[in-house]
Amino acid sequence: MTVIDDLATLEHEAAEALEAAADLSGLAEWKSTYIGKSGSLTRLSRGLGALPADQRPEVGRRVNALREQLEAAFEAAEARLKRAAQDAELSADCIDVTMPGRPPALGHIHLTNQVIQQVQEIFAEMGFQIGESPEVELDEYNFSLLNFADDHPARDMQDTFYVEMPEGSPSVLLRTHTSNAQIHAMRRHAPNPIRVLVPGKCYRNEQVTVRSEMQFFQFEFLAVGRNITMGDLKGTLAYFAERMYGPGTKVRLRPSFFPFTEPSAEMDVSCFLCDGKGCRICKHAGWLEIGGCGMVHPNVLRNGGYDPEHFSGFAGGFGPERIAMLKYGIDDIRGFYGGSIDFVEQFG
Ligand code: DAH
């Protein structure tokens, strides 16, 4: 065996072993076995000194050539294995961008707002404009100008939230109803005719029960003009009831009292669940009470800037929560603002 043969065997073996190195640690082992400090090639080159002098240059060249060849092969294999290791790592935590995403949980319009939108639409169809009125209001607009007597029980601290004001300031409160909108609307538009619908939050200092909340919404509708009659009020209500509760729904007015209307009435709609025959929702009456209404009191018209000799009007107020409760058979008003997602999600 000559050194040349040994080199050829080494070259062959090293090539096979390199092929077999499956990973970086196998490759490191290969390096120390063949080209490391105490590897086969180094050992072989140490034997060069024992060769006859005429063979040394040739064998030396071959040894160097083989070392360069093996080192290059090592670097190529190392690059390949590093890339493979990186690829494996990447594909282990890769994201499949074609997978369908998780849909975000979408909210929806709160039941009260759904009803408010629906009521606004219905009144808009009859030519009513949508208006606003202050939530924090002067006592004057909430009560006095609406013909409430100074000693009316609604003004009691027990019923109304008053705002603490500096000495000598006018009395300020959280509106107890949206009827305050009547004076604002009339003063803004008198002596022109008006048709306005005003939704808004109202507050009453009341015990919270299944039927009453301290805060709730109301709608005020108001029409003022020449020759407006109770027939117009009834027609407006009849249209509203049919659109809100379905064709065939009837309206009934029962005499009542409100300081700001004369005559005043409670408005009932025929029970849409039993068609007036009597059921649990209408408590077997066949009718559901939805709010109050009447012909605008002459004092209120005057306070709003209209001459009651030439102008008349109708007004009414009702609550969207009550409308929703009747429509969906909800028997506890506290669900509306109690913050329970379970309640709210039923009406998506
Ligand atoms: N403001 C009354 C309430 O809160 C409801 C009402 C009754 C409004 C008669 C009106 C009306 O406009 O004419 O109970």
Side-chain angles (χ1 to χ4, degrees), residues 176-179 182 204 216 218-221 258 260-261 264-265 291-295 314-318:
T176 60
H177 53 182
T178 44
S179 300
Q182 292 192 19
R204 283 185 201 169
F216 51 91
Q218 265 195 355
F219 277 103
E220 194 75 11
F221 57 89
F258 297 100
F260 37 93
T261 39
S264 304
C293 61
M295 299 307 290
F314 64 75
F318 49 87

Side-chain angles (χ1 to χ4, degrees), residues 7-192:
L7 279 175
T9 312
L10 182 60
E11 180 183 355
H12 182 71
E13 257 182 45
E16 273 191 352
L18 190 63
E19 190 100 339
D23 53 22
L24 288 167
S25 76
L27 190 66
E29 215 171 287
W30 180 91
K31 188 179 184 183
S32 79
T33 308
Y34 294 101
I35 52 175
K37 276 198 189 99
S38 46
S40 316
L41 190 63
T42 315
R43 249 185 290 122
L44 222 151
S45 58
R46 275 197 203 111
L48 280 183
L51 287 176
D54 62 335
Q55 287 182 21
R56 260 184 248 154
E58 172 61 11
V59 176
R61 240 189 335 270
R62 292 215 185 190
V63 168
N64 283 341
L66 184 57
R67 176 171 295 280
E68 268 170 33
Q69 184 189 323
L70 293 183
E71 272 170 2
F74 169 81
E75 269 164 32
E78 185 183 50
R80 181 171 45 79
L81 287 174
K82 272 191 178 158
R83 215 176 312 117
Q86 252 172 16
D87 286 353
E89 202 176 307
L90 277 180
S91 63
D93 63 11
C94 82
I95 298 165
D96 180 354
V97 293
T98 65
M99 253 167 72
R102 285 191 208 118
L106 282 186
H108 61 80
I109 297 175
H110 189 279
L111 178 57
T112 308
N113 285 330
Q114 290 178 33
V115 175
I116 288 175
Q117 286 180 355
Q118 212 178 339
V119 172
Q120 288 182 170
E121 239 167 68
I122 297 171
F123 274 85
E125 286 164 12
M126 293 187 280
F128 282 73
Q129 288 186 321
I130 312 300
E132 279 184 339
S133 69
E135 212 166 298
V136 180
E137 180 61 292
L138 291 167
D139 176 303
E140 206 189 354
Y141 281 78
N142 193 83
F143 291 132
S144 310
L145 295 169
L146 288 173
N147 206 34
F148 277 79
D150 285 343
D151 58 355
H152 192 284
R155 293 172 179 261
D156 199 290
M157 297 280 282
Q158 312 289 290
D159 293 322
T160 301
F161 290 110
Y162 285 91
V163 178
E164 268 181 38
M165 298 291 288
E167 274 278 312
S169 310
S171 174
V172 174
L173 44 77
L174 300 185
R175 74 174 159 212
T176 60
H177 53 182
T178 44
S179 300
N180 66 336
Q182 292 192 19
I183 302 294
H184 289 288
M186 286 194 263
R187 287 192 170 176
R188 199 169 310 135
H189 296 286
N192 296 312

